[in-house]
């Protein structure tokens, strides 16, 4: 079974702190994604990566950056956390470039609260 | 960003009743996926539909893709408390696109 793990289930940080969210997948998937999930808004794509050291902005990249130094690991960085970044953060991975049947496998999420 | 609308936002029904969730867009999908998310977990894929008019069944769940590939529905027959969860549709717009655009989701509660 594909497993996607996220470093923390719950995180509380203060405004202005630098925050790192880590994601690891164990199935040698090419693509990895970071989403945030807010009530009534669904999942919104922050950044994704289709290869090591490659990244592309999603729909809401402002205030975030990412790092993918190894294939299995994709990190989301909040350079200076703000209260409007309080949210559930979900990491996902997928295998194929052609996504017609391309399932995304999700981690359990990190609920981040910025005070 | 392509807009993908789900309705209703919330649905609460009694065990044994049927329900339908809708997913609509003004644009054509190359494919569409349905996920279910349970509290404290990430979404899990239920089905992918690719061909216009396609109908797929997964036990008591029936998924339909519109002929024009702009809309989809999920129908649950004789709902059970285990069907409770957040149902999300996610569209793929381009043939070689590996990004998904998600709807806002429908929260389904099945009361015993």
């Amino acid at each position: 079974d594909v497993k996607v793990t996220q470093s923390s289930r719950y995180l509380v940080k203060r405004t202005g702190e630098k925050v790192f969210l880590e994601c690891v997948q164990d199935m040698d998937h090419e693509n990895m994604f970071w989403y945030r999930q807010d009530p009534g808004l669904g999942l919104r794509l922050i950044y994704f990566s289709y290869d090591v050291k490659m990244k592309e902005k999603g729909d809401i990249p402002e205030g975030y950056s990412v790092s993918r130094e190894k294939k299995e690991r994709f990190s989301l960085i909040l350079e200076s956390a703000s209260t409007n970044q309080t949210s559930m953060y979900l990491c996902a991975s997928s295998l194929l470039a052609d996504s017609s049947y391309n399932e995304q496998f999700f981690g359990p999420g990190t609920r981040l609260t910025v005070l | 960003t392509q807009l993908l609308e789900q309705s209703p936002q919330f649905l609460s029904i009694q065990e044994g009743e049927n329900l339908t969730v809708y997913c609509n867009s003004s644009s054509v999908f190359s494919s569409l996926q349905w996920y279910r998310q349970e509290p404290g977990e990430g979404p899990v894929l239920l089905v992918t539909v690719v061909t216009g008019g396609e109908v797929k069944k997964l036990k008591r769940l029936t998924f339909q893709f519109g002929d024009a590939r702009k809309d989809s529905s999920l129908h649950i027959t004789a709902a059970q408390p285990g069907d409770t969860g957040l149902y999300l549709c996610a569209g793929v717009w381009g043939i070689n696109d590996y990004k998904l655009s998600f709807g806002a989701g429908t929260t389904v509660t099945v009361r015993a």
Side-chain angles (χ1 to χ4, degrees):
Chain A
D1 281 352
V2 175
K3 192 161 186 182
V4 180
T5 56
Q6 296 184 229
S7 51
S8 305
R9 294 299 294 266
Y10 300 93
L11 211 52
V12 179
K13 295 292 181 180
R14 297 216 173 266
T15 300
E17 281 192 76
K18 192 168 185 175
V19 181
F20 293 86
L21 302 182
E22 305 286 340
C23 176
V24 178
Q25 50 95 3
D26 65 358
M27 285 300 292
D28 203 34
H29 282 177
E30 305 294 333
N31 307 317
M32 296 189 74
F33 307 82
W34 275 107
Y35 297 90
R36 63 177 284 176
Q37 183 175 27
D38 300 288
L41 296 178
L43 276 69
R44 292 180 291 167
L45 182 64
I46 304 171
Y47 266 97
F48 68 100
S49 169
Y50 50 89
D51 201 352
V52 175
K53 297 191 185 296
M54 305 304 288
K55 61 186 179 185
E56 282 196 26
K57 294 180 180 179
D59 299 319
I60 52 164
E62 295 78 19
Y64 303 94
S65 62
V66 291
S67 173
R68 193 164 180 205
E69 296 297 319
K70 293 184 178 181
K71 190 174 187 179
E72 67 270 18
R73 188 178 297 269
F74 193 34
S75 303
L76 180 69
I77 303 151
L78 286 66
E79 296 291 343
S80 177
S82 63
T83 54
N84 63 12
Q85 292 178 309
T86 291
S87 186
M88 171 69 84
Y89 289 88
L90 289 163
C91 176
S93 71
S94 69
L95 178 60
L96 301 170
D98 171 9
S99 63
S100 294
Y101 285 95
N102 200 6
E103 177 177 2
Q104 288 194 12
F105 295 86
F106 286 84
T110 295
R111 184 163 293 283
L112 173 67
T113 302
V114 182
L115 302 175
Chain B
T1 302
Q2 305 281 4
L3 191 60
L4 212 158
E5 296 182 350
Q6 276 188 250
S7 62
Q9 187 175 359
F10 299 98
L11 202 52
S12 180
I13 60 170
Q14 201 69 32
E15 182 176 4
E17 294 181 341
N18 301 331
L19 68 96
T20 303
V21 176
Y22 299 93
C23 179
N24 295 285
S25 174
S26 57
S27 301
V28 176
F29 305 111
S30 67
S31 65
L32 187 137
Q33 298 178 348
W34 284 93
Y35 289 79
R36 179 169 65 206
Q37 184 179 19
E38 298 185 12
E41 302 295 330
V44 176
L45 181 69
L46 295 173
V47 78
T48 301
V49 285
V50 179
T51 306
E54 184 175 7
V55 177
K56 282 192 173 179
K57 293 194 174 185
L58 190 66
K59 296 184 181 177
R60 294 175 294 100
L61 278 62
T62 301
F63 303 85
Q64 189 156 6
F65 202 13
D67 291 340
R69 305 206 330 265
K70 292 183 177 182
D71 58 274
S72 182
S73 64
L74 156 61
H75 182 79
I76 302 179
T77 304
Q80 299 177 0
D83 295 324
T84 292
L86 176 67
Y87 289 82
L88 295 155
C89 65
V92 179
W93 309 103
I95 296 295
N96 295 316
D97 196 349
Y98 37 78
K99 293 182 291 180
L100 295 174
S101 293
F102 282 85
T106 297
T107 300
V108 171
T109 304
V110 182
R111 305 184 304 274

